[in-house]
Amino acid sequence: RFRFLGVPRGRDEAQGPETAEARVRAATPRACRANSKDLDVLEMPSIPNPFPELCCSPCTSVLSTGLFPKANSKKKQVIKVYSEDETSRALEVPSDITARDVCQLLILKNHYIDDHSWTLFEHLPHIGVERTIEDHELVIEVLSNWGMEEENKIYFRKNYAKYEFFKTPTYFFPENMVSFATETNGEISPSQILQMFISSSTYPEIHGFLHAKEQGKKSWKKVYFFLRRSGLYFSTKGTSKEPRHLQFFSEFGNSDVYVSLAGKKKHGAPTSYGFCFKPRKAGGPRDLKMLCAEEDQSRTCWVTAIRLLKYGMQLYQNYMHPYQGRSGCSSQSVSPMRSISENSLVAMDFSGQRSRVIENPTEALSVAVEEGLAWRKKGCLRLGIHGSPTASSQSSATNMAIHQSQPWFHHRISRDEAQRLIMQQGPVDGVFLVRDSQSNPKTFVLSMSHGQKIKHFQIIPVEDDGAVFHTLDDGHTRFTDLIQLVEFYQLNKGVLPCKLKHYCARIAL
């Protein structure tokens, strides 16, 4: 081979192609020539490989790619989430994470109880508006619509009214604000109205008076509006809905609806029940289309109808299947809480060897009173009320402080602050908190929501045989501490308009 490489060029050309072919054959390894000769003489039959998964071609890897987890090609970003006490937490999340997945992540990290009411809110302080980020929305897309100099925030808190219109739609769609495009036979129930919003072509029409802010001006004008699938319109002539009198006001395909937090102060609104349309790609005050309702029920109806027209069946899927996230961050080990109607509950007697249903209402009432007395007596014995004077003084001191660690107790907040907290977390029936009374330092106040209104009940201390009790009904029903009082009214309506269902709490991230 070395002599072949060292042959002069002129000599190679003189010998011709036959000599060159012989040299190439001579330079080929002997083993290769033998193999090629054997292949020319006889072609051996192929033997099937019993382990094909262990073999590979020269161009492939030795191990199968299926044995390794797929590389995550999704870009991750850091988001900052705030709580009501302005504490914050930074999270590194994938680009396609949904609002529900972020809530589930915070629930797991902070060991909260998931009752499907945790929600993300988009807060825009420079224009004083806020909206609920729907569970299926991508959080990174929401952040991408923010300006560089805007100090916007995402809040994490409870919102009991997020899907309340699926449970009790009566309040959300008053009869005087709903009409139908086609003739209907008989009366339409609120549940049928919801069904029309979600899947039917026969959609309802929402109408009523609203105050609208004129573009480029500070003045507001009261106009009659109509909400349809194609958008929001107003009438240029009274309450007429003729096409020649209707003028287009706003669409909601490329915009979001926000609730105004300080409409009177920032925009000079005539009432406190304002909302607005804001385009996603523009955030200046001039781009807003501000509206204002006469009362909270009217605003709730408009905002709820816009949400249903915009998302429709997606909202119903979010309500029915709260753990179906896009990025798979939700926990499947946590089962959703079962909703039980109070009308399906019956009185049961478990005193004997077999349980039985108490069908007589009088007997059921007497059993309930007897159990209540035994329960209160047990609570008194637990806290040592009927013990020695020293034990009595110690227990009374304990009663004064035992409620301070409860999540529903809010110390010395004002009446307006209590109303704001309840409204933020959803003014559904049974949302409550307990606070110190500002007018009387020795008493407490139970603030709760019922019928979309905030009501306040004073908890008065009553002294009997040296012991101090708490009561809401002038001493008829007495409790040794506030915890006992709250637990009782969570099970019994008593003098309250409804049972205590959801406590309003401030959480820290």
Side-chain angles (χ1 to χ4, degrees), residues 187-432:
E187 296 183 356
I188 302 297
S189 65
S191 59
Q192 291 176 319
I193 296 175
L194 282 175
Q195 186 67 25
M196 291 179 181
F197 270 114
I198 293 173
S199 60
S200 178
S201 58
T202 308
Y203 57 89
E205 181 183 74
I206 308 298
H207 55 86
F209 280 103
L210 289 172
H211 298 272
K213 186 177 182 182
E214 300 184 66
Q215 291 290 335
K217 299 180 181 179
K218 295 183 179 181
S219 59
W220 292 72
K221 187 177 181 180
K222 190 174 183 180
V223 193
Y224 204 78
F225 278 85
F226 298 89
L227 179 64
R228 299 175 177 176
R229 287 195 181 273
S230 56
L232 185 64
Y233 300 83
F234 66 91
S235 177
T236 58
K237 186 176 181 181
T239 60
S240 173
K241 60 168 63 177
E242 296 184 14
R244 59 192 180 96
H245 295 150
L246 294 183
Q247 188 170 342
F248 181 77
F249 182 79
S250 177
E251 55 88 28
F252 32 82
N254 296 320
S255 60
D256 295 310
V257 58
Y258 291 77
V259 174
S260 180
L261 302 177
K264 286 186 175 182
K265 183 177 180 180
K266 284 185 173 291
H267 307 285
T271 69
S272 302
Y273 310 110
F275 62 100
C276 67
F277 292 93
K278 174 185 165 299
R280 294 180 178 177
K281 297 300 180 181
R286 296 182 179 179
D287 300 319
L288 300 179
K289 294 188 176 181
M290 305 291 299
L291 296 168
C292 191
E294 292 287 346
E295 56 183 3
D296 187 42
Q297 186 182 22
S298 175
R299 179 178 66 175
T300 302
C301 179
W302 287 103
V303 174
T304 304
I306 292 169
R307 288 178 61 197
L308 285 169
L309 285 177
K310 186 175 181 179
Y311 298 111
M313 181 59 71
Q314 183 64 58
L315 289 185
Y316 186 72
Q317 293 176 355
N318 295 346
Y319 166 65
M320 295 299 296
H321 308 287
Y323 293 107
Q324 289 186 354
R326 178 177 296 187
S327 61
C329 295
S330 59
S331 172
Q332 298 179 359
S333 61
V334 183
S335 60
M337 297 178 64
R338 184 178 58 173
S339 176
I340 302 176
S341 173
E342 294 181 1
N343 297 327
S344 64
L345 301 179
V346 295
M348 298 288 295
D349 179 18
F350 297 97
S351 58
Q353 295 181 353
R354 292 184 179 181
S355 60
R356 67 181 181 90
V357 178
I358 303 178
E359 298 180 354
N360 188 355
T362 306
E363 183 184 1
L365 182 60
S366 62
V367 170
V369 172
E370 185 178 350
E371 287 188 356
L373 293 174
W375 176 72
R376 278 167 24 196
K377 184 178 180 181
K378 183 178 179 181
C380 293
L381 293 175
R382 172 176 59 89
L383 296 174
I385 293 297
H386 299 292
S388 61
T390 305
S392 178
S393 61
Q394 291 177 354
S395 68
S396 61
T398 304
N399 294 347
M400 294 298 294
I402 193 173
H403 58 270
Q404 295 183 4
S405 61
Q406 299 301 311
W408 40 258
F409 186 72
H410 290 260
H411 297 280
R412 299 178 181 178
I413 63 173
S414 64
R415 184 188 185 99
D416 295 338
E417 180 69 10
Q419 294 186 171
R420 187 188 67 83
L421 286 175
I422 295 177
M423 293 298 294
Q424 273 189 349
Q425 298 194 15
V428 301
D429 290 353
V431 177
F432 73 97

Side-chain angles (χ1 to χ4, degrees), residues 83-102:
S83 64
E84 287 176 331
D85 61 353
E86 296 301 325
T87 58
S88 62
R89 185 160 188 167
L91 299 173
E92 187 180 13
V93 297
S95 58
D96 65 340
I97 193 169
T98 62
R100 175 61 198 172
D101 290 336
V102 174

